[in-house]
Amino acid sequence: MRNSEDRSIVREMLGWLIYILIIIGLTYLIITFVGQRTRVSGSSMETTLSDGDNLIVDKISYRFRDPKRYDIIVFPYAYEKNTYFIKRIIGLPGETVQVKNGYVYINGEQLDEHYGNELMDDPGIAEEPIQLGENEYFVLGDNRNHSQDSRAVTVGVLNRKDLIGRAWIRIWPFSEFGVIKHE
């Protein structure tokens, strides 16, 4: 009788161990390939996103489609480990981007967009036209005069391989919970 009870306990423990390993494996796969939680730090994306907002980043859609203008994306900051920036795609591969008189110009035409809170004081490296290569993107924060973005030498133009994913859902604060609008 004692042997069957021991086997039953061992079987139960083994079942729980397998269950826990499956959960850990699925969590790893989801975080690595599907989605990731990130927190907005700073005001560079005001008024679209605020300091302290918690988001889920969609890491899978760019495997099936190209990033689009106005997508809000997450990418690593090259000069600080475990630091990620969140910005809006403005310039697409093959386009020429320039900032003149506080406005964005794409291929010589003023971009008709409403995301910037104010005219840009500093065009940075985009004072001169920037020709984007294949798989290159130009990004800006919505709070343009308080954003370190593609105009800064330390950020510059992004390569597609550096894009972690696209902001998908705001999960905190609960009063702002919902899918993030990109266009």
Side-chain angles (χ1 to χ4, degrees):
M1 184 83 162
R2 179 80 178 148
N3 261 349
S4 66
E5 283 180 19
D6 287 347
R7 275 189 249 149
S8 177
I9 291 172
V10 168
R11 237 185 249 139
E12 179 78 19
M13 296 295 283
L14 193 59
W16 275 104
L17 180 63
I18 291 170
Y19 177 73
I20 290 170
L21 289 175
I22 289 171
I23 295 298
I24 290 171
L26 286 174
T27 302
Y28 172 79
L29 289 173
I30 288 170
I31 289 171
T32 303
F33 299 109
V34 179
Q36 169 181 318
R37 187 187 68 79
T38 192
R39 184 176 176 271
V40 176
S41 180
S43 63
S44 73
M45 286 300 292
E46 293 278 352
T47 57
T48 307
L49 300 172
S50 300
D51 185 39
D53 284 359
N54 279 265
L55 315 172
I56 299 294
V57 177
D58 163 19
K59 295 169 68 172
I60 200 166
S61 64
Y62 289 156
R63 295 177 193 269
F64 303 104
R65 73 166 182 85
D66 291 331
K68 296 177 183 171
R69 188 179 332 275
Y70 306 128
D71 279 359
I72 299 171
I73 53 104
V74 174
F75 60 95
Y77 181 53
Y79 299 100
E80 206 170 316
K81 194 173 182 159
N82 295 323
T83 300
Y84 300 91
F85 280 4
I86 184 163
K87 306 293 177 198
R88 187 179 300 278
I89 293 176
I90 298 297
L92 300 171
E95 294 180 334
T96 300
V97 180
Q98 185 175 16
V99 175
K100 295 191 296 193
N101 302 319
Y103 295 99
V104 177
Y105 287 80
I106 304 288
N107 298 329
E109 306 259 330
Q110 186 176 330
L111 183 63
D112 181 26
E113 53 105 18
H114 59 280
Y115 294 107
N117 292 339
E118 54 197 357
L119 292 179
M120 286 176 272
D121 294 334
D122 182 13
I125 63 172
E127 184 171 18
E128 297 299 318
I130 297 172
Q131 176 66 46
L132 298 175
E134 186 178 336
N135 294 318
E136 289 185 333
Y137 297 87
F138 187 90
V139 297
L140 293 173
D142 288 356
N143 193 359
R144 306 278 163 86
N145 289 324
H146 304 281
S147 176
Q148 189 174 358
D149 47 41
S150 285
R151 296 171 294 158
V153 176
T154 55
V155 176
V157 171
L158 301 180
N159 194 294
R160 180 171 178 165
K161 68 177 174 47
D162 296 325
L163 306 183
I164 291 174
R166 146 184 204 268
W168 179 36
I169 297 174
R170 182 181 354 233
I171 58 174
W172 180 263
F174 288 130
S175 62
E176 299 288 326
F177 182 87
V179 175
I180 296 170
K181 293 181 175 67
H182 293 263
E183 301 189 20

